[in-house]
Every structure is written in C-alpha cells, then in structure tokens.
Amino acid sequence: MCVAVFTSASVSSCMTMFSLSVSSVTSRCHLFTALHRCVLTSNAGLTYASTCIGSTSLTNTPFKQESKISAVRNVCTNQDCNVSEKTCPSTANSEVRVRFAPSPTGFLHLGGLRTALYNFIFAKKHGGTFILRLEDTDQNRLVPGADEAIEDMLEWAGIPPDESPRRGGPLGPYRQSERLELYTQAALDLVDAGHAYYCFCSTQRLELLKKEALRSGQTPRYDNRCRHLRAEQVQEKLSTGGPRVIRFRLQSGVEPFQDLVFGWNQHEVAQVEGDPVVMKADGFPTYHLANVVDDHLMGISHVLRGSEWLISTSKHLLLYRALGWSPPAFAHLPLLLNRDGSKLSKRQGDIFIQRFQQAGVLPQALLDLTTHCGSGFATNRIGRKMEDLISEFNPSKITTHSALLDLEKIPEFNRIHLEQRIEDEEQSDSLVKDLQEHIQKAYADEIQGKDVLRGSYITRILRLRKGHISSLKELVSPGYSYLWVRPSVSYQQVAALTSETQHISSLFLRFIEAQGEELSVEALSKDLKTLAKSAKATKYRDVMKLLRLSLSGLQQGPSVAEMMVSLGRREVIHRFQKLLLLSPIS
C-alpha cells in the first residue's frame, strides 16, 4: 500500500524514473511494482499511472486519500497482471535493497552491528542499497540520544547507510514514528477486507486471560473474542470513542517458505497464537504490521535479520498475502552468543559499540572478529578488510549454528588491523592525528616540546612499535611516557646500578654525537654491545639498564637501540648529557 507523502516534484521524478513500456501484461506488472515503491498520492501520480496502464478509472473517480493505491492495485488486477513472485519476481528483476531496522530503545551492541554488517556486505556484494530504518514505535522505552548514536556508530564502523534518517532518501521518512499514516491506512485496509477487526477487550480482561493460562500450565494467548462481534456491535462500541486496538485475523494453512539460511520453514501460528494486535490503542503499530508495510513501501528485496524472528515470518507472510503484496526473500542469521553460550544482553556493559570505540578498538578489528566467529565467508582468516569481506561473502555458507563470540581475542585482532593501518600511508596519517590528540589529552603541559607532536616523529614511533601494540592508547600509557615527556632520573637510581656512570655516559655520548641523523636499530644494537665491553667493572646487563634508565626513567621497555631510534639523535644526546651532569646533590 502506498499513501501520500511525496510532493508533486517527487512524483514527477518518480514518473521519469519508471518510464516503462507497458504494452504487455508483464510490463504492466513491473510498472505496478514500481508504483508501489513511488508512494503515490497526488493526482499527477494517478494520472501518470492511468496513462501508462491504459485506464481512465484512476482519474475519473473521486478518490479518498486511503483508496488511491487500492485503485492502482485494482487496475493491475483488471489487466490480468499477476503480481505473485512467479510472474513478477521483484528480487530477480529489481535492485537489491536491504535494511537494518533497530529500535532506539538502547544503544548499538555487537549483535546489532553484526546484523547491520551482513546487510551492508550483501548490498555491496550485489551493487544494491543499504537502508537504516529506526523502529521507534515503542515510545515508552525510547532512550534519549540512542537514535543518533546508532547512526554514528554505523558510520564509525565503516558501514554507513545509503538511506537513513540523517541522510534521507527517496522512500523516507526513515523513522516509523513519522510514518504513522501509512500503518493506519494499512490496518484500515485489512479491516475493510475482513482480514482484521477491532478489539475492545480491556487490559484487565487480557491480564486475567494470561493469569488463567499460566495457572493451567498453558501458553498465554488471546481467545479471539472480538473476532466474533457482529457489525452492529462493532459500530456501537466504536461510537462510544473508547479505547480499541486492531487485531489481524490469523488463518490456518500457512504456506511454507524457503529461508536462505534455514531452508524450508512453516509455522502454523493460528494453532498456537491468538490473533495479534497490529495497531495499538495509542495509534502506533506493532512490529508485525510496521515492518511489513515498511519493507514493501521501501522496496526491500531481502530481509536479513536475527533467527529470533524466524518463527514470526509465517505471520508476516500472512500479512503480505492479506495486503496483496509479494514478500521479499528472507535470510535469518544465527544468533551471536557469548563464548559460554549465553545470550548477548544489553545489560552487559562490554558489548556496546561505543565502549569499544572509547577503548581504542579499531572498527575493522571489530567487524573482523564478529565475522570470524560466524560463517558465510569463503575463508576464516584474521586480518580481513572490508573489501575482503565483500568479495568472500557467500550467503549459502551461513550455517544455522549460533556464533560464539570470544571478546578476549579483541587485542589480537586489533593488533593485526593496527599493523595494517600503520603500513597504509593514508590510514597512517589518520592514526598520527588520533595519537596527537591522545598525547595532548594525556600529558598536556608536561609535553617536552612541539617536536614530539610532529607527524614525522609520531610516524617513526608507530612504525617501530608496529606489531607490538594492540591500541594507540598504549602509546600514552606510563610505559611509553618517555616518548613525550623527559624522564626525571636521580643520582641514587644510577648509583645503584654502577659506579662508572661518568665513564659510561661520556663513552656513549661521544658515540652518539658521531652518528648521523638517521639511526638504525640493527646497527645500534651491534655497536651498543661493543661499547658496553669498554666498561671496566659494569656488566653488559647493567650498562643497558643504565642507558634505559637515562633514556626513559624505566627499568623495562623496548630495547635500548629502539628507544634511541625512537627519540632521535638530538634527544638522545640531551638525555645522555643530563646523565653526565648527575651528582650526589642533584
């Protein structure tokens, strides 16, 4: 069903987009599918439809707002145009359009990210469109800021939607709370066609039904009482203006459907459930109606969602059939579970994407981890980039087994992806900027000078520490503070290591002064071993401890040679000179 939301200009644009030849029944069928996706409401759109299809019945009749798209459907039917999947397969002849439809009742977590990722990859694999739609019809549970944060995190993760509340698009709006007229009209169409009915049962009665069912050990379900009200009874109750909902009339004989992951499925929902509410008393739809209406009007070709919705799909297919629409293809993704097999929960503070972002986890590492523990790809190696995920994705390889997520592997994945980014010149530049911000935030006025914030200096540090660190934030930890702040070393500290401080510092100072600006870790390592032998009474190990202490103020860390290369010739000279000047009263 399509209800008025487009302007005349939008309809005109839509006409141009779908200027088709309609000389055959098949062509008329494709036009009908196109019109569904155009959201026709204006007389201009109806005139265009009637002109293309070859009928004047659309414009010669004074239509009410809600009956316009029904007229389009009727014209198609009158022209013997079968819109079933057999003769008008939208998934075969139209572009791939998929959607990620979270509820902003919380922030994006790993389970949602994986669903969004599989939709994004599927769209890009087939040159299609990835849509973000916010299902915000549960107004009582909305979390302030969650809607913006969800889109922020998708963009941070590198899977930005092509159409969304923020970006807009041709088939918006993309918030369900802004599409209420569409759902209301669909519900009224169902009532008019006898596929739905008004229910006036009070909350108290429904609660009693639930308690009685639980008391007798049965699954609570509505008893379909209002389904049997006579027309005059319905009108009488409606005239009072009291609260009511609209329920969908479930039918037996559900046709099986083929899920792209779980294969053939069939759930006789009418045998185990009462008629479900599709329109609540507050005027908001339930998920079952809203997702069907939106998927149809937004031209969704494939629905990739969590397997928890598999059992509801038969109910949704009944709604598609009642509304006269062809359903999309379905692929239900196996659950993403904790390593111990328990379900991911929003109560777990460590599964929210913002938490990983704040901890310095790279988005590529997070995406790699969530796909590595699952299925659907030609390989299962660590270090895959987005282009690898897209090229290797194969829905037929998605298994029905739940994926176990091991969050303890994040440092390993992050280390590998950080190494890849350091090696990539363009991405390395962004790392430099990020690290500059971390340095200024962590040390502020303590920074030894502007030189440590230079891009060339930071780039050298990154390349030397490549493969050793799992996060940029490690480089501003106390163990690496010597890179940005000159250490404070006392005479007592060096005296505890050797009595030859003056001799050793003079020896190494002369050596480094004789070196060029370009230092090499490999060459320095050999020279340091040779020079250390010149100490008369100090072992090689203690010589290295002395040098490390003077350079970093630490007893552990990278090799002395790497420290010297990291700091650069001039800074090493400065720190050795300070060592040379140490005295018992300093």
Side-chain angles (χ1 to χ4, degrees):
M1 185 186 72
C2 296
V3 177
V5 293
F6 273 25
T7 62
S8 297
S10 301
V11 173
S12 176
S13 173
C14 197
M15 293 178 193
T16 303
M17 185 183 305
F18 294 111
S19 293
L20 308 173
S21 168
V22 289
S23 58
S24 66
V25 169
T26 302
S27 296
R28 287 194 298 271
C29 180
H30 287 295
L31 175 62
F32 177 62
T33 301
L35 291 176
H36 265 286
R37 298 178 182 180
C38 281
V39 196
L40 287 173
T41 59
S42 70
N43 288 331
L46 291 167
T47 302
Y48 177 67
S50 63
T51 301
C52 288
I53 297 174
S55 170
T56 58
S57 61
L58 292 177
T59 52
N60 291 347
T61 306
F63 288 98
K64 291 184 179 179
Q65 178 87 350
E66 64 270 17
S67 63
K68 291 179 179 178
I69 194 59
S70 297
V72 177
R73 186 186 302 123
N74 291 338
V75 168
C76 188
T77 303
N78 293 338
Q79 294 287 348
D80 298 322
C81 175
N82 186 349
V83 295
S84 70
E85 192 68 23
K86 294 180 180 179
T87 60
C88 192
S90 61
T91 57
N93 295 330
S94 352
E95 68 166 318
V96 166
R97 289 176 61 83
V98 296
R99 49 58 165 190
F100 173 53
S103 172
T105 54
F107 295 94
L108 186 64
H109 59 77
L110 282 172
L113 179 69
R114 189 192 64 149
T115 300
L117 174 61
Y118 274 66
N119 276 278
F120 178 88
I121 291 173
F122 187 84
K124 301 312 168 186
K125 178 88 172 181
H126 298 284
T129 302
F130 172 53
I131 299 163
L132 170 65
R133 184 176 74 223
L134 295 177
E135 302 196 339
D136 60 346
T137 55
D138 192 347
Q139 296 287 293
N140 294 326
R141 296 177 57 227
L142 295 182
V143 173
D147 52 352
E148 291 292 330
I150 288 172
E151 193 155 359
D152 287 342
M153 289 300 97
L154 291 180
E155 292 177 354
W156 171 81
I159 51 176
D162 300 301
E163 300 172 19
S164 70
R166 181 179 298 169
R167 293 171 181 254
L171 298 179
Y174 295 91
R175 295 177 190 271
Q176 288 189 336
S177 59
E178 298 173 5
R179 301 169 61 85
L180 297 183
E181 291 182 4
L182 300 173
Y183 314 128
T184 299
Q185 188 52 54
L188 292 176
D189 277 2
L190 289 172
V191 172
D192 290 344
H195 296 301
Y197 58 90
Y198 291 101
C199 174
F200 305 94
C201 291
S202 66
T203 303
Q204 292 80 1
R205 180 178 188 275
L206 296 175
E207 188 61 31
L208 286 174
L209 284 176
K210 179 180 179 180
K211 289 181 178 179
E212 182 59 33
L214 293 174
R215 188 180 299 113
S216 59
Q218 298 178 343
T219 302
R221 56 185 291 184
Y222 178 57
D223 60 1
N224 298 347
R225 176 184 180 180
C226 289
R227 176 199 274 230
H228 308 292
L229 292 177
R230 297 188 304 276
E232 58 270 22
Q233 291 177 300
V234 172
Q235 289 304 317
E236 181 182 350
K237 290 179 178 294
L238 287 175
S239 65
T240 66
R244 69 270 194 165
V245 300
I246 295 178
R247 291 182 180 272
F248 178 60
R249 193 185 298 266
L250 292 178
Q251 301 293 333
S252 58
V254 175
E255 294 181 4
F257 67 96
Q258 187 170 25
D259 187 83
L260 297 179
V261 175
F262 285 81
W264 287 101
N265 270 264
Q266 183 181 27
H267 301 282
E268 284 290 355
V269 287
Q271 295 180 6
V272 295
E273 297 182 31
D275 292 337
V277 173
V278 291
M279 186 62 67
K280 296 179 289 186
D282 61 3
F284 281 81
T286 60
Y287 170 81
H288 302 297
L289 177 65
N291 96 90
V292 167
V293 171
D294 287 341
D295 285 347
H296 174 71
L297 294 184
M298 291 183 177
I300 301 302
S301 62
H302 298 76
V303 172
L304 282 70
R305 59 187 180 187
S307 59
E308 66 269 24
W309 293 109
L310 181 62
I311 197 169
S312 297
T313 305
S314 289
K315 187 186 305 179
H316 299 160
L317 290 173
L318 287 173
L319 277 164
Y320 275 105
R321 187 169 71 183
L323 289 164
W325 299 338
S326 295
F330 290 94
H332 287 86
L333 306 174
L335 294 177
L336 186 64
L337 304 177
N338 291 308
R339 186 175 59 171
D340 61 3
S342 61
K343 289 185 178 181
L344 293 179
S345 170
K346 292 181 180 180
R347 296 182 181 90
Q348 293 175 240
D350 61 351
I351 68 166
F352 290 102
I353 307 307
Q354 285 173 307
R355 178 260 180 190
F356 295 105
Q357 180 193 39
Q358 293 163 0
V361 177
L362 295 174
Q364 297 92 334
L366 205 55
L367 299 182
D368 194 10
L369 176 65
T370 55
T371 53
H372 184 269
C373 70
S375 56
F377 298 88
T379 67
N380 200 29
R381 55 191 170 83
I382 299 178
R384 291 175 298 183
K385 300 178 182 178
M386 180 58 74
E387 54 266 33
D388 300 321
L389 294 176
I390 293 172
S391 64
E392 295 179 12
F393 182 62
N394 184 348
S396 67
K397 291 184 176 294
I398 301 176
T399 67
T400 59
H401 304 298
S402 296
L404 300 181
L405 181 67
D406 189 355
L407 293 178
E408 292 183 3
K409 290 184 177 180
I410 283 182
E412 178 185 1
F413 277 79
N414 216 50
R415 177 182 59 79
I416 291 172
H417 282 275
L418 182 57
E419 186 173 353
Q420 290 178 350
R421 291 190 69 173
I422 292 172
E423 292 172 349
D424 184 283
E425 185 175 345
E426 183 177 339
Q427 292 187 326
S428 180
D429 288 342
S430 69
L431 290 177
V432 169
K433 293 178 182 178
D434 290 343
L435 188 50
Q436 286 171 334
E437 292 179 5
H438 288 313
I439 296 166
Q440 291 172 312
K441 183 177 180 180
Y443 296 105
D445 297 336
E446 298 180 76
I447 296 174
Q448 65 192 39
K450 293 182 178 179
D451 283 350
V452 300
L453 294 176
R454 284 186 293 110
S456 58
Y457 178 76
I458 292 179
T459 298
R460 183 167 73 234
I461 302 300
L462 289 173
R463 290 175 179 170
L464 287 167
R465 286 285 83 196
K466 179 181 67 178
H468 298 280
I469 57 173
S470 297
S471 167
L472 281 185
K473 287 193 173 183
E474 289 182 35
L475 291 176
V476 292
S477 66
Y480 288 103
S481 61
Y482 68 91
L483 294 169
W484 329 112
V485 179
R486 286 175 179 145
S488 177
V489 181
S490 69
Y491 176 81
Q492 288 73 21
Q493 286 178 290
V494 299
L497 294 172
T498 178
S499 59
E500 296 183 281
T501 300
Q502 295 288 315
H503 170 64
I504 294 172
S505 56
S506 297
L507 184 68
F508 280 87
L509 183 58
R510 288 195 300 271
F511 164 74
I512 198 66
E513 287 176 336
Q515 303 300 308
E517 290 297 327
E518 295 295 327
L519 302 178
S520 161
V521 173
E522 185 177 358
L524 280 176
S525 296
K526 293 179 181 179
D527 292 337
L528 291 177
K529 286 183 180 180
T530 302
L531 283 171
K533 294 178 182 178
S534 300
K536 300 175 182 178
T538 308
K539 296 179 180 180
Y540 170 77
R541 180 183 62 186
D542 291 329
V543 171
M544 291 300 105
K545 285 183 178 180
L546 175 65
L547 297 179
R548 178 177 282 109
L549 183 64
S550 65
L551 292 172
S552 67
L554 304 172
Q555 294 183 355
Q556 294 180 334
S559 69
V560 172
E562 184 183 322
M563 282 185 173
M564 294 172 70
V565 174
S566 297
L567 293 168
R569 176 178 174 273
R570 282 184 294 175
E571 184 61 25
V572 171
I573 290 174
H574 178 86
R575 297 189 186 192
F576 279 170
Q577 287 175 336
K578 283 184 63 178
L579 178 65
L580 188 62
L581 295 174
L582 282 179
S583 66
I585 60 173
S586 61

